Amino acid sequence: MKGSSRKSRALGWMSFILAALWILGGWADAVAQPALESRYAEARQRYQKLIGQLNVPDNREMLRKNISTFEEIFRQDTTQRLADRCLFMIAQSYHRLYDSQRVEEDYRNALAFYKQTALKFPHSPLADDALFLSGILMESRSPAEAYVEFERVAVLFPQGDLAPKARL
């Protein structure tokens, strides 16, 4: 009898500890989220400042570092409240770098992150933007592929803000 009582208390304590860890884990996410949102806002502001002056080599390098910040925030965002926005900003950054220098790797990265945004977060308000901008990026290289992307925007997001432009 004494052994089962100890087992019962041990199981009770283990349940209590697991519940506390579960609650505290959620609490830790809630505490970390505002810090991530602040870092995201700072990285987005930096992006806005840098894109207007990409003819300056240092600014291109700073934009590449800013991409790393968005990637880090994406990895740390366990709630995924910022994940779609981070992927989209990474894609936008590579797109701007490609437009300024025509580096093939930037082109591929921009397309990959636009597509990742739309595939991982199809219900995000940025999903149609990501597909549309991938079409814009492809337009000069492969009009047929761009057309397919625009059609996807029109079909998958008929009520989206970019559907009318995608149909043109």
Side-chain angles (χ1 to χ4, degrees):
M1 196 72 146
K2 214 175 195 181
S4 69
S5 168
R6 282 188 188 155
K7 251 187 200 177
S8 182
R9 269 190 297 210
L11 284 173
W13 276 108
M14 280 180 79
S15 297
F16 173 77
I17 290 169
L18 288 173
L21 288 173
W22 181 77
I23 290 169
L24 289 175
W27 178 78
D29 287 345
V31 169
Q33 194 64 31
L36 283 178
E37 288 175 8
S38 176
R39 286 183 57 212
Y40 171 82
E42 289 169 12
R44 192 160 191 274
Q45 282 180 332
R46 244 186 333 271
Y47 165 83
Q48 294 294 336
K49 287 179 185 174
L50 293 170
I51 60 168
Q53 300 174 349
L54 287 179
N55 56 335
V56 179
D58 286 347
N59 286 357
R60 290 192 299 267
E61 189 54 39
M62 288 173 67
L63 186 55
R64 289 188 190 285
K65 286 180 185 175
N66 207 43
I67 289 170
S68 297
T69 301
F70 284 123
E71 289 172 332
E72 189 177 308
I73 294 167
F74 174 78
R75 282 190 302 275
Q76 293 174 358
D77 182 22
T78 57
T79 64
Q80 293 206 327
R81 289 185 198 148
L82 300 169
D84 61 333
R85 291 183 272 169
C86 285
L87 290 177
F88 186 77
M89 291 305 300
I90 293 166
Q92 285 269 270
S93 299
Y94 280 122
H95 191 157
R96 295 296 185 137
L97 286 168
Y98 175 73
D99 284 347
S100 74
Q101 293 184 288
R102 298 291 190 219
V103 173
E104 182 64 24
E105 186 177 359
D106 293 334
Y107 176 85
R108 285 193 308 271
N109 285 332
L111 282 179
F113 280 99
Y114 279 140
K115 288 183 182 194
Q116 199 174 352
T117 302
L119 289 173
K120 284 189 175 189
F121 303 99
H123 300 294
S124 166
L126 296 172
D128 63 330
D129 297 54
L131 289 178
F132 185 83
L133 289 170
S134 66
I136 293 290
L137 187 58
M138 290 180 203
E139 213 165 22
S140 65
R141 283 184 168 203
S142 177
E145 286 184 64
Y147 176 80
V148 170
E149 289 301 298
F150 295 139
E151 278 298 306
R152 287 178 67 199
V153 172
V155 170
L156 296 175
F157 304 98
Q159 304 303 317
D161 61 325
L162 293 171
K165 285 184 180 178
R167 289 185 190 102
L168 294 178

